[in-house]
């Protein structure tokens, strides 16, 4: 069983930064890809970024490229999302997710349905 625990959300002014963390509790996890998603009120959940535990595969939504950085710390079983130059439109509930076991493809090839385990979410609010 895979359990995810997110932290690091909060309120920040536009232009500011936040760093989200997602810690995985699982006996085996290195074959899972990790993703950060967000959902704003009235909108569909969208993928923000994804990463493999090797770090060799990463992907970003166009809306966050150059501002957000995903990383992982295998020793801590933790995935991070560093968010810089935050904009009001980044306001959303952010979710960490773990995929089904995957081999041989980039994390950008995964669909929403491939993510099987979800965290409880952490709110990010950006004000102008």
């Amino acid at each position: 069983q895979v359990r995810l625990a997110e932290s690091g959300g909060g309120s920040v002014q536009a232009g500011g930064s936040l760093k989200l963390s997602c810690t995985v509790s699982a006996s085996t996890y290195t074959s899972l890809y990790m993703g950060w998603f967000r959902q704003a009120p009235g909108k569909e959940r969208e993928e923000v970024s994804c990463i493999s535990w090797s770090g060799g595969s990463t992907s970003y939504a166009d809306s966050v490229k150059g501002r957000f950085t995903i990383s992982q710390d295998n020793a801590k079983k933790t995935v991070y999302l560093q968010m810089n130059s935050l904009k009001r439109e980044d306001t959303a509930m952010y979710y960490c997710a773990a995929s089904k076991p995957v081999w041989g493809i980039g994390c950008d090839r995964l669909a929403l349905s491939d993510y099987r385990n979800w965290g409880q979410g952490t709110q990010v609010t950006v004000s102008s």
Side-chain angles (χ1 to χ4, degrees), residues 3-118:
R3 295 183 179 179
L4 307 175
E6 302 126 328
S7 62
S11 297
V12 65
Q13 289 192 330
S17 299
L18 285 172
K19 186 174 185 177
L20 307 183
S21 300
C22 173
T23 300
V24 179
S25 297
S27 57
T28 59
Y29 63 97
T30 55
S31 62
L32 311 179
Y33 283 0
M34 302 297 296
W36 283 102
F37 294 78
R38 66 186 181 186
Q39 188 167 18
K43 295 188 177 181
E44 293 186 353
R45 189 168 297 190
E46 62 171 346
E47 182 173 340
V48 175
S49 185
C50 63
I51 191 168
S52 61
W53 281 104
S54 68
S57 176
T58 60
S59 181
Y60 297 91
D62 288 342
S63 58
V64 306
K65 281 181 181 177
R67 300 188 297 121
F68 290 11
T69 303
I70 194 169
S71 62
Q72 92 292 358
D73 185 329
N74 286 26
K76 295 182 178 180
K77 292 187 179 181
T78 300
V79 174
Y80 304 98
L81 186 68
Q82 177 67 48
M83 305 185 295
N84 298 329
S85 302
L86 283 161
K87 304 176 181 179
R88 286 190 62 184
E89 51 263 43
D90 294 318
T91 295
M93 185 70 78
Y94 283 70
Y95 298 91
C96 174
S99 76
K100 64 182 182 181
V102 179
W103 295 271
I105 63 172
C107 68
D108 60 318
R109 300 288 302 277
L110 270 62
L112 182 62
S113 59
D114 292 322
Y115 288 90
R116 303 294 172 81
N117 297 279
W118 294 81

